[in-house]
Each structure stands twice: as C-alpha cells, then as structure tokens.
Amino acid sequence: EFSERLETIRERAFYGCHRLRRIAIPQKRGLFSFNNALQKYNQFDYCDQLTKVDLVGEAHTKTISSLHMDCWRAEVIEEINRINQVLPTTPGNEKTAAIKQWMDSVMDRMDHCKALHRRYVKEAITLLELAL
C-alpha cells in the first residue's frame, strides 16, 4: 500500500512482479511516469497476478461524500469499482494501461460531477437572490 503522498511511480517499477496481487495507490494525475523508449506506461505490466486496485487517502472519499445527488455518488462508486472487474482478464502487457485509463476515468467522472454540482449551486443562489 502506497501513501497518498506518493508523487510518482517510475517506469518498470513493478514490471514482471509475478507475486503482486493487489495495490493501493493514491488518486492523482501524473502518478505514472512515461517510458519514452517503449512509448508506453509499464509500471505494472506482466504482473499477471495483479487483480485488485484500491485507492488510498481521503481525496476520493471526501469528493464522493460531498456529492449531493445519489446518482452522482453511484456513478463515481461504480467507476471506482470497475477496475477490479476488468483487471483480472486484462492481458499482462496491458495492466498499467488499464490502471492508468481507469484512474483518469475516475478523476474525469469526479470532475464532471463537481462541475455539475457547482453549476446547480450557482443556479440555486441566483434563484434565491432573485426571490429576495
């Protein structure tokens, strides 16, 4: 399990680690460094037993709990859980790409829901101001 203070996972950090089954990583953009020679992210490639990814830290739980619409919370939670359904059948040479795509997707979904939330709050404030 990595700390939420982890800044970067360097290329090939766990490449071919056959005993690695689970990782817990912080939710942040730019966590994976790009392997320029291979033109891909490969931190967890060929970790054939890697089937479970969890997020560490409070950033994602605070965001989820702050979403006031149940459907938004459900969408984000579903997206967070998706990786553990996909990863067991992901080919070994595509593990890192699947994890990175999933992390980007989770953050994009959260950003989208937060933007909608801000828009609805702004609209409610405007209506309240007009009513007064």
Side-chain angles (χ1 to χ4, degrees):
E1 185 168 313
F2 296 107
S3 164
E4 68 181 294
R5 292 179 288 165
L6 179 69
E7 294 295 322
T8 304
I9 302 175
R10 306 290 299 167
E11 65 244 20
R12 298 182 62 113
F14 296 92
Y15 186 93
C17 186
H18 300 291
R19 292 185 176 195
L20 186 63
R21 296 178 182 276
R22 175 190 169 269
I23 58 171
I25 54 179
Q27 173 194 341
K28 58 177 72 169
R29 296 192 194 276
L31 184 63
F32 299 119
S33 58
F34 189 71
N35 185 320
N36 288 316
L38 297 176
Q39 292 295 299
K40 66 181 281 188
Y41 297 93
N42 63 357
Q43 285 75 358
F44 299 102
D45 284 1
Y46 297 103
C47 296
D48 298 326
Q49 299 299 313
L50 179 58
T51 59
K52 184 158 178 60
V53 179
D54 293 313
L55 295 175
V56 297
E58 296 182 11
H60 66 283
T61 53
K62 284 182 180 178
T63 299
I64 292 170
S65 64
S66 71
L67 298 173
H68 295 289
M69 302 278 281
D70 289 339
C71 60
W72 294 347
R73 278 195 295 272
E75 283 179 29
V76 171
I77 290 169
E78 182 179 329
E79 186 59 27
I80 288 172
N81 293 331
R82 183 181 59 82
I83 189 64
N84 297 320
Q85 298 163 4
V86 172
L87 204 56
T89 59
T90 300
N93 65 329
E94 297 175 12
K95 295 280 186 176
T96 306
I99 294 168
K100 183 175 182 326
Q101 184 277 330
W102 163 75
M103 286 185 68
D104 290 343
S105 178
V106 167
M107 288 183 280
D108 289 347
R109 173 59 48 198
M110 285 185 175
D111 289 346
H112 174 74
C113 290
K114 287 190 288 188
L116 286 174
H117 176 79
R118 283 190 292 276
R119 189 180 90 203
Y120 291 149
V121 167
K122 189 175 181 178
E123 287 176 9
I125 290 170
T126 301
L127 289 173
L128 184 58
E129 287 173 344
L130 291 172
L132 297 176

